[in-house]
Amino acid sequence: MLAKRDERLCQDHPQGRKRSHFFKSFFMTKLLDDGSSGNYKYANVKRWSKNVPGKDIFALSKIFFPVNIMNQHWTCAAIFMEDKRIQFFDSMHGTGIRYLKGLFQYLKDEHQAKKGCPLPDQEQWKLVCCTDDTPVQNNGNDCGVFTCMFADFLSTDCPLTFSQKHIHQCRERIALSIMNGSAII
């Protein structure tokens, strides 16, 4: 649904907006081989980029990754390509450093595999752990809603202005998006 909205926004603004991509939650599980060794494995996901808009992740604006931590908690990681920043968004404020490092290695491996050379300006990339201003959940069951809202807001460059007190409205927004078949603008 977020991808459909992103496509529509890019069509409406063809000169001023680059596409984003929203990987499925299984991407991170495969990348970090969570079902088996727990080690980073580019080979598990090397073909996944063929499904991104334009088939080139380096031409995108943002890339979003839902992250399932030990089948108990949902978070969101995002790569902001133009800013050279990889950031972790966790409603329980975990650092996410393992995921940030894994995604940075993925970018390096993907560039080498698809472009035939090392990722340029590697030293300029920033890995940003969850920041203090990231919205926080006040219970043990709303992490999925927060994860959806992180991707929803960030994909349209909106500040993360929601909180636990907005959770009912967030759930309604998600339900309306499902009923409409596309995320609400």
Side-chain angles (χ1 to χ4, degrees):
M1 292 179 304
L2 294 173
K4 278 186 180 180
R5 179 184 65 194
D6 184 68
E7 181 178 19
R8 192 170 67 247
L9 289 171
C10 288
Q11 287 170 349
D12 292 346
H13 304 94
Q15 301 304 321
R17 184 175 170 85
K18 284 185 170 183
R19 288 293 307 271
S20 294
H21 185 67
F22 305 84
F23 276 105
K24 297 184 181 343
S25 61
F26 200 48
F27 179 91
M28 195 63 76
T29 300
K30 296 297 284 179
L31 180 69
L32 298 179
D33 203 29
D34 280 345
S36 185
S37 69
N39 296 323
Y40 172 88
K41 289 196 176 175
Y42 175 71
N44 288 351
V45 298
K46 67 182 177 184
R47 293 189 194 100
W48 286 49
S49 63
K50 70 180 180 181
N51 296 319
V52 306
K55 304 195 182 318
D56 180 4
I57 66 168
F58 300 100
L60 299 172
S61 172
K62 301 172 196 79
I63 309 169
F64 295 94
F65 305 85
V67 180
N68 184 287
I69 301 175
M70 298 172 31
N71 290 323
Q72 296 178 7
H73 181 56
W74 286 100
T75 65
C76 180
I79 301 176
F80 300 91
M81 298 299 288
E82 294 159 329
D83 296 338
K84 292 186 168 89
R85 174 171 45 102
I86 307 170
Q87 190 163 349
F88 193 69
F89 299 89
D90 182 353
S91 59
M92 295 186 85
H93 281 206
T95 66
I97 194 66
R98 174 177 182 244
Y99 305 100
L100 296 171
K101 288 179 178 179
L103 288 172
F104 188 45
Q105 186 61 50
Y106 168 71
L107 283 180
K108 293 189 280 189
D109 290 343
E110 183 75 4
H111 200 277
Q112 186 66 49
K114 302 299 183 338
K115 305 285 187 181
C117 62
L119 179 69
D121 305 321
Q122 291 183 30
E123 68 285 348
Q124 292 180 12
W125 280 85
K126 295 180 190 130
L127 306 184
V128 181
C129 294
C130 188
T131 59
D132 290 340
D133 60 344
T134 301
V136 178
Q137 69 183 80
N138 295 333
N139 60 35
N141 56 4
D142 286 328
C143 56
V145 176
F146 276 84
T147 297
C148 291
M149 298 313 294
F150 291 147
D152 184 357
F153 276 54
L154 294 167
S155 66
T156 56
D157 298 319
C158 290
L160 301 178
T161 56
F162 61 92
S163 68
Q164 183 72 49
K165 71 180 180 181
H166 302 109
I167 205 70
H168 182 71
Q169 293 93 329
C170 293
R171 288 180 184 279
E172 287 177 347
R173 181 178 175 87
I174 293 168
L176 285 171
S177 296
I178 292 169
M179 291 178 359
N180 288 335
S182 179
I184 297 169
I185 295 178

